[in-house]
Coordinates of all heavy atoms in Angstrom, one line a residue:
M1 N 0.8 -1.2 0.0 CA 0.0 0.0 0.0 C 0.9 1.2 0.0 O 1.9 1.3 0.7 CB -0.9 0.0 1.2 CG -1.7 1.3 1.4 SD -2.9 1.3 2.8 CE -2.3 0.3 4.0
R2 N 0.5 2.2 -0.8 CA 1.2 3.5 -0.8 C 0.3 4.6 -0.3 O -0.9 4.6 -0.5 CB 1.6 3.8 -2.3 CG 2.6 2.9 -2.9 CD 3.9 2.8 -2.3 NE 4.5 4.1 -2.2 CZ 5.7 4.4 -1.8 NH1 6.4 3.4 -1.3 NH2 6.2 5.6 -1.8
L3 N 0.9 5.6 0.4 CA 0.2 6.7 1.0 C 0.5 8.0 0.3 O 1.7 8.2 -0.1 CB 0.5 6.8 2.5 CG 0.3 5.6 3.4 CD1 0.7 6.0 4.8 CD2 -1.2 5.2 3.3
R4 N -0.5 8.9 0.2 CA -0.3 10.2 -0.4 C -0.8 11.2 0.7 O -1.9 11.1 1.1 CB -1.0 10.4 -1.6 CG -0.8 11.8 -2.2 CD -1.5 12.0 -3.6 NE -3.0 12.0 -3.5 CZ -3.7 13.1 -3.3 NH1 -3.1 14.3 -3.2 NH2 -5.0 13.0 -3.3
F5 N 0.1 12.1 1.2 CA -0.2 13.0 2.2 C -1.3 14.0 1.7 O -1.2 14.5 0.7 CB 1.1 13.8 2.6 CG 0.8 14.9 3.6 CD1 0.7 14.5 5.0 CD2 0.8 16.2 3.3 CE1 0.5 15.5 5.9 CE2 0.6 17.2 4.2 CZ 0.4 16.9 5.5
L6 N -2.4 14.1 2.5 CA -3.5 15.0 2.2 C -3.4 16.3 2.9 O -3.7 17.4 2.4 CB -4.8 14.3 2.4 CG -5.1 13.1 1.6 CD1 -6.4 12.5 2.0 CD2 -5.1 13.5 0.1
G7 N -3.0 16.3 4.2 CA -3.0 17.5 5.0 C -2.9 17.2 6.5 O -3.0 16.1 6.9
S8 N -2.7 18.3 7.2 CA -2.5 18.3 8.6 C -2.9 19.6 9.2 O -2.8 20.7 8.5 CB -1.0 18.0 8.9 OG -0.8 18.0 10.3
T9 N -3.2 19.6 10.5 CA -3.4 20.9 11.2 C -2.3 21.3 12.0 O -2.3 22.4 12.6 CB -4.7 20.8 12.1 OG1 -4.6 19.7 13.0 CG2 -6.0 20.7 11.3
S10 N -1.2 20.5 12.0 CA 0.0 20.9 12.8 C 0.9 21.7 11.9 O 1.0 21.5 10.7 CB 0.7 19.7 13.3 OG 1.5 19.1 12.3
E11 N 1.6 22.6 12.5 CA 2.5 23.5 11.7 C 3.7 22.7 11.1 O 4.3 23.1 10.1 CB 3.0 24.6 12.6 CG 1.9 25.6 12.9 CD 2.4 26.8 13.6 OE1 3.5 27.2 13.4 OE2 1.5 27.5 14.3
A12 N 4.2 21.7 11.8 CA 5.3 20.9 11.3 C 4.9 19.8 10.4 O 5.8 19.0 9.9 CB 6.1 20.4 12.5
G13 N 3.6 19.6 10.1 CA 3.2 18.5 9.2 C 3.2 17.2 9.9 O 3.2 16.2 9.2
A14 N 3.2 17.2 11.2 CA 3.2 15.9 12.0 C 1.8 15.5 12.1 O 1.0 15.5 11.2 CB 4.0 16.1 13.3
C15 N 1.5 15.0 13.3 CA 0.1 14.6 13.5 C -0.7 15.7 14.2 O -0.2 16.5 14.8 CB 0.1 13.3 14.3 SG 0.6 13.4 16.0
P16 N -2.0 15.7 14.0 CA -2.8 14.7 13.2 C -2.6 15.0 11.7 O -2.6 16.2 11.3 CB -4.2 14.8 13.7 CG -4.3 16.3 14.2 CD -2.9 16.6 14.7
S17 N -2.6 13.9 10.9 CA -2.5 14.1 9.5 C -3.4 13.0 8.8 O -3.7 12.0 9.4 CB -1.1 13.8 9.0 OG -0.2 14.8 9.6
L18 N -3.8 13.3 7.6 CA -4.6 12.4 6.8 C -3.8 12.0 5.5 O -3.1 12.9 5.0 CB -6.0 13.0 6.4 CG -6.9 13.3 7.6 CD1 -8.2 13.9 7.1 CD2 -7.2 12.1 8.4
Y19 N -4.0 10.8 5.1 CA -3.4 10.3 3.9 C -4.4 9.5 3.1 O -5.3 8.9 3.7 CB -2.2 9.3 4.3 CG -1.2 9.9 5.1 CD1 -1.3 10.0 6.5 CD2 0.0 10.4 4.5 CE1 -0.3 10.5 7.3 CE2 1.0 10.9 5.3 CZ 0.8 11.0 6.7 OH 1.8 11.5 7.5
E20 N -4.3 9.5 1.8 CA -5.1 8.7 0.9 C -4.2 7.6 0.4 O -3.0 7.7 0.2 CB -5.5 9.6 -0.3 CG -6.3 8.9 -1.3 CD -6.7 9.8 -2.5 OE1 -5.9 10.7 -2.8 OE2 -7.8 9.6 -3.0
T21 N -4.8 6.4 0.3 CA -4.1 5.2 -0.1 C -4.3 4.9 -1.6 O -5.3 5.4 -2.1 CB -4.4 4.0 0.7 OG1 -5.7 3.5 0.3 CG2 -4.4 4.2 2.2
D22 N -3.5 4.1 -2.1 CA -3.7 3.7 -3.5 C -4.8 2.7 -3.6 O -5.1 2.2 -4.7 CB -2.4 3.2 -4.1 CG -1.8 2.0 -3.4 OD1 -2.3 1.6 -2.4 OD2 -0.7 1.5 -3.9
R23 N -5.4 2.3 -2.5 CA -6.5 1.4 -2.5 C -7.9 2.1 -2.3 O -8.9 1.5 -2.1 CB -6.4 0.4 -1.3 CG -5.1 -0.4 -1.4 CD -5.0 -1.5 -0.4 NE -5.2 -1.1 0.9 CZ -5.0 -1.9 2.0 NH1 -4.6 -3.2 1.8 NH2 -5.3 -1.5 3.2
G24 N -7.8 3.5 -2.3 CA -9.0 4.3 -2.2 C -9.5 4.4 -0.8 O -10.7 4.7 -0.6
T25 N -8.7 4.2 0.2 CA -9.0 4.4 1.6 C -8.3 5.6 2.2 O -7.4 6.1 1.5 CB -8.7 3.1 2.4 OG1 -7.3 2.8 2.3 CG2 -9.6 2.0 1.9
I26 N -8.6 5.9 3.4 CA -7.9 7.0 4.1 C -7.2 6.5 5.4 O -7.8 5.7 6.1 CB -9.0 8.1 4.6 CG1 -9.7 8.7 3.4 CG2 -8.3 9.2 5.4 CD1 -8.9 9.5 2.4
V27 N -6.0 6.9 5.6 CA -5.2 6.6 6.8 C -5.1 7.8 7.7 O -4.9 8.9 7.2 CB -3.8 6.1 6.4 CG1 -3.0 5.9 7.7 CG2 -3.9 4.8 5.7
V28 N -5.4 7.7 9.0 CA -5.3 8.7 9.9 C -4.1 8.5 10.8 O -3.9 7.5 11.4 CB -6.6 8.8 10.8 CG1 -6.6 9.9 11.8 CG2 -7.9 8.9 9.9
Q29 N -3.3 9.6 10.9 CA -2.2 9.6 11.8 C -2.5 10.5 13.0 O -2.8 11.7 12.7 CB -0.9 10.1 11.1 CG 0.3 10.3 12.0 CD 1.4 11.0 11.3 OE1 1.3 11.2 10.1 NE2 2.4 11.4 12.0
G30 N -2.5 10.0 14.2 CA -2.8 10.9 15.3 C -2.6 10.2 16.6 O -2.0 9.1 16.7
L31 N -3.0 10.8 17.7 CA -2.8 10.3 19.0 C -3.9 9.3 19.3 O -5.1 9.5 19.0 CB -2.8 11.4 20.0 CG -1.7 12.4 19.9 CD1 -1.9 13.6 20.9 CD2 -0.4 11.8 20.1
H32 N -3.5 8.1 19.9 CA -4.5 7.2 20.4 C -5.5 7.8 21.4 O -5.0 8.6 22.3 CB -3.8 6.0 21.1 CG -3.2 5.0 20.2 ND1 -1.9 4.8 20.2 CD2 -3.7 4.3 19.2 CE1 -1.5 3.9 19.3 NE2 -2.6 3.6 18.7
V33 N -6.7 7.5 21.3 CA -7.7 7.8 22.4 C -7.4 6.8 23.5 O -7.5 5.6 23.3 CB -9.1 7.7 21.9 CG1 -10.1 8.0 23.0 CG2 -9.4 8.7 20.8
T34 N -7.1 7.4 24.7 CA -6.8 6.5 25.8 C -7.8 6.7 27.0 O -7.8 5.9 27.9 CB -5.4 6.8 26.4 OG1 -5.4 8.2 26.8 CG2 -4.4 6.5 25.4
D35 N -8.7 7.6 26.8 CA -9.7 7.9 27.9 C -10.7 6.7 28.0 O -11.4 6.4 27.0 CB -10.5 9.2 27.5 CG -11.6 9.5 28.6 OD1 -12.7 9.0 28.4 OD2 -11.3 10.2 29.5
A36 N -10.8 6.0 29.1 CA -11.6 4.8 29.3 C -13.0 5.1 29.0 O -13.7 4.2 28.4 CB -11.3 4.2 30.7
E37 N -13.5 6.2 29.5 CA -15.0 6.5 29.2 C -15.3 6.7 27.7 O -16.3 6.1 27.2 CB -15.4 7.7 30.0 CG -16.9 8.0 30.0 CD -17.3 9.2 30.9 OE1 -16.4 10.0 31.3 OE2 -18.5 9.3 31.1
A38 N -14.4 7.4 27.0 CA -14.6 7.6 25.6 C -14.5 6.2 24.9 O -15.3 5.9 24.0 CB -13.6 8.5 25.0
L39 N -13.5 5.4 25.2 CA -13.3 4.1 24.6 C -14.5 3.2 24.8 O -14.9 2.4 24.0 CB -12.1 3.4 25.1 CG -10.8 4.1 24.7 CD1 -9.6 3.4 25.4 CD2 -10.6 4.0 23.2
S40 N -15.2 3.3 26.0 CA -16.4 2.5 26.3 C -17.6 2.9 25.4 O -18.5 2.1 25.2 CB -16.8 2.6 27.7 OG -17.3 3.9 28.0
D41 N -17.5 4.1 24.8 CA -18.6 4.5 23.8 C -18.4 3.9 22.4 O -19.3 4.0 21.6 CB -18.6 6.0 23.8 CG -19.1 6.7 25.1 OD1 -19.9 6.0 25.8 OD2 -18.7 7.8 25.3
L42 N -17.2 3.4 22.1 CA -17.0 2.9 20.8 C -17.8 1.6 20.6 O -18.1 0.8 21.5 CB -15.5 2.5 20.6 CG -14.6 3.7 20.5 CD1 -13.1 3.2 20.5 CD2 -14.9 4.6 19.4
R43 N -18.2 1.3 19.3 CA -19.0 0.2 19.0 C -18.2 -0.8 18.0 O -17.6 -0.3 17.1 CB -20.3 0.6 18.3 CG -21.2 1.4 19.2 CD -22.4 1.8 18.4 NE -23.2 2.8 19.2 CZ -24.3 3.3 18.9 NH1 -24.8 2.9 17.7 NH2 -25.0 4.1 19.6
H44 N -18.4 -2.0 18.3 CA -17.9 -3.1 17.3 C -16.4 -2.9 17.0 O -16.0 -2.9 15.8 CB -18.7 -3.1 16.1 CG -20.2 -3.0 16.3 ND1 -20.8 -4.1 16.9 CD2 -21.1 -2.1 16.0 CE1 -22.1 -3.8 17.0 NE2 -22.3 -2.6 16.5
V45 N -15.5 -2.7 18.0 CA -14.1 -2.5 17.8 C -13.5 -3.9 17.5 O -13.6 -4.8 18.4 CB -13.4 -1.8 19.0 CG1 -11.9 -1.7 18.7 CG2 -14.1 -0.5 19.2
L46 N -12.9 -4.1 16.4 CA -12.3 -5.4 16.0 C -10.9 -5.4 16.5 O -10.2 -4.4 16.8 CB -12.4 -5.6 14.5 CG -13.8 -5.5 13.9 CD1 -13.6 -5.6 12.4 CD2 -14.6 -6.6 14.4
D47 N -10.3 -6.7 16.6 CA -8.9 -6.8 16.9 C -8.1 -6.0 15.9 O -8.3 -6.1 14.7 CB -8.5 -8.3 16.9 CG -9.1 -9.1 18.0 OD1 -9.4 -8.5 19.1 OD2 -9.1 -10.3 17.9
G48 N -7.1 -5.3 16.4 CA -6.2 -4.5 15.5 C -6.7 -3.1 15.3 O -6.0 -2.3 14.7
E49 N -7.9 -2.8 15.7 CA -8.5 -1.4 15.5 C -8.2 -0.6 16.7 O -8.0 -1.1 17.8 CB -10.0 -1.5 15.2 CG -10.4 -2.1 13.9 CD -11.9 -2.0 13.7 OE1 -12.6 -1.9 14.7 OE2 -12.3 -2.0 12.6
T50 N -8.1 0.7 16.5 CA -7.9 1.7 17.6 C -8.6 2.9 17.2 O -9.0 3.2 16.1 CB -6.4 1.9 17.8 OG1 -6.3 2.7 19.0 CG2 -5.8 2.7 16.7
A51 N -8.8 3.8 18.2 CA -9.5 5.1 18.0 C -8.4 6.2 17.9 O -7.5 6.2 18.8 CB -10.5 5.4 19.1
I52 N -8.5 7.0 16.9 CA -7.6 8.2 16.8 C -8.4 9.4 16.8 O -9.4 9.5 16.1 CB -6.8 8.1 15.4 CG1 -6.1 6.7 15.3 CG2 -5.9 9.2 15.2 CD1 -5.0 6.5 16.3
E53 N -7.9 10.4 17.5 CA -8.6 11.7 17.6 C -8.0 12.7 16.6 O -6.8 12.9 16.6 CB -8.5 12.3 19.0 CG -9.3 13.5 19.2 CD -9.2 14.0 20.7 OE1 -8.4 13.5 21.5 OE2 -10.0 14.9 21.0
V54 N -8.8 13.3 15.8 CA -8.4 14.4 14.9 C -9.3 15.6 15.0 O -10.5 15.4 15.3 CB -8.4 13.9 13.4 CG1 -7.4 12.8 13.2 CG2 -9.7 13.5 12.9
P55 N -8.8 16.8 14.8 CA -9.7 17.9 14.8 C -10.7 17.9 13.7 O -10.4 17.6 12.6 CB -8.7 19.1 14.7 CG -7.4 18.6 14.9 CD -7.4 17.1 14.6
R56 N -11.9 18.4 14.0 CA -13.0 18.5 13.0 C -12.5 19.3 11.8 O -12.8 19.0 10.7 CB -14.2 19.1 13.6 CG -15.4 19.3 12.7 CD -16.5 20.0 13.4 NE -17.0 19.2 14.5 CZ -18.1 18.4 14.4 NH1 -18.7 18.2 13.3 NH2 -18.5 17.7 15.5
E57 N -11.8 20.4 12.1 CA -11.4 21.3 11.0 C -10.5 20.6 10.0 O -10.5 20.9 8.8 CB -10.8 22.6 11.5 CG -9.6 22.5 12.3 CD -9.8 22.3 13.8 OE1 -10.9 22.1 14.3 OE2 -8.8 22.5 14.5
L58 N -9.7 19.6 10.4 CA -8.9 18.9 9.5 C -9.7 18.1 8.5 O -9.5 18.1 7.3 CB -7.9 18.0 10.3 CG -7.0 17.1 9.4 CD1 -6.2 17.8 8.4 CD2 -6.2 16.2 10.3
L59 N -10.7 17.4 9.0 CA -11.6 16.6 8.2 C -12.4 17.5 7.2 O -12.5 17.2 6.0 CB -12.6 15.8 9.0 CG -11.9 14.8 9.9 CD1 -13.0 14.1 10.8 CD2 -11.1 13.7 9.1
V60 N -12.9 18.6 7.7 CA -13.6 19.5 6.8 C -12.7 20.1 5.7 O -13.1 20.2 4.6 CB -14.3 20.7 7.7 CG1 -14.8 21.8 6.8 CG2 -15.3 20.1 8.6
D61 N -11.5 20.5 6.1 CA -10.6 21.1 5.1 C -10.2 20.1 4.0 O -10.2 20.4 2.9 CB -9.3 21.6 5.8 CG -8.3 22.1 4.9 OD1 -8.6 23.0 4.1 OD2 -7.1 21.6 4.9
I62 N -9.9 18.8 4.4 CA -9.6 17.8 3.5 C -10.8 17.5 2.6 O -10.6 17.3 1.4 CB -9.0 16.5 4.2 CG1 -7.7 16.9 4.9 CG2 -8.8 15.4 3.2 CD1 -6.6 17.4 4.1
A63 N -11.9 17.4 3.2 CA -13.1 17.1 2.4 C -13.4 18.1 1.3 O -13.7 17.8 0.2 CB -14.4 17.0 3.3
R64 N -13.2 19.4 1.7 CA -13.3 20.5 0.7 C -12.3 20.4 -0.4 O -12.7 20.6 -1.6 CB -13.2 21.8 1.4 CG -14.4 22.2 2.2 CD -14.3 23.7 2.6 NE -15.4 24.0 3.5 CZ -15.2 24.5 4.7 NH1 -14.1 24.7 5.3 NH2 -16.3 24.7 5.4
R65 N -11.1 20.1 -0.1 CA -10.0 20.1 -1.1 C -10.0 18.8 -2.0 O -9.7 18.9 -3.1 CB -8.7 20.3 -0.5 CG -8.5 21.7 0.1 CD -7.0 22.0 0.5 NE -6.6 21.2 1.7 CZ -5.6 20.3 1.6 NH1 -4.9 20.1 0.5 NH2 -5.3 19.7 2.7
V66 N -10.3 17.7 -1.4 CA -10.1 16.4 -2.0 C -11.4 15.9 -2.6 O -11.4 15.4 -3.8 CB -9.5 15.4 -1.1 CG1 -9.4 14.0 -1.7 CG2 -8.2 15.8 -0.6
L67 N -12.5 16.0 -1.9 CA -13.7 15.4 -2.4 C -14.6 16.2 -3.2 O -15.5 15.7 -4.0 CB -14.5 14.9 -1.1 CG -13.8 13.9 -0.2 CD1 -14.6 13.6 1.0 CD2 -13.4 12.7 -1.0
L68 N -14.5 17.5 -3.2 CA -15.4 18.4 -4.0 C -14.7 18.9 -5.2 O -13.6 18.9 -5.5 CB -15.8 19.6 -3.1 CG -16.5 19.3 -1.8 CD1 -16.9 20.5 -1.1 CD2 -17.8 18.5 -2.1

């Protein structure tokens, strides 16, 4: 799988960041959600999955530039 950088809200281009794959999916780079109460709200978490927190404005910005 290959990744193409889409954008970030950090000034150094670190995390959180979004990438598009050559498989037509999105990869999220960010901090793991570790808050037990928040994790208990997740549904149907499969083995190998984790929750990543990203700012809403990052998703909106990428959606505007990439999807529209």
Side-chain angles (χ1 to χ4, degrees):
M1 173 176 29
R2 298 296 304 184
L3 302 179
R4 181 175 70 90
F5 178 75
L6 295 176
S8 176
T9 54
S10 77
E11 292 187 23
C15 68
S17 297
L18 295 181
Y19 301 83
E20 180 178 35
T21 74
D22 58 0
R23 301 188 309 187
T25 59
I26 301 295
V27 171
V28 178
Q29 173 189 353
L31 298 174
H32 284 119
V33 174
T34 58
D35 180 272
E37 187 174 15
L39 291 172
S40 72
D41 291 332
L42 294 174
R43 299 178 186 182
H44 313 294
V45 179
L46 301 176
D47 287 342
E49 291 183 335
T50 190
I52 304 295
E53 186 175 12
V54 297
R56 178 184 299 263
E57 62 268 15
L58 175 58
L59 297 175
V60 170
D61 179 55
I62 297 303
R64 283 188 185 124
R65 289 191 293 117
V66 175
L67 300 177
L68 300 179

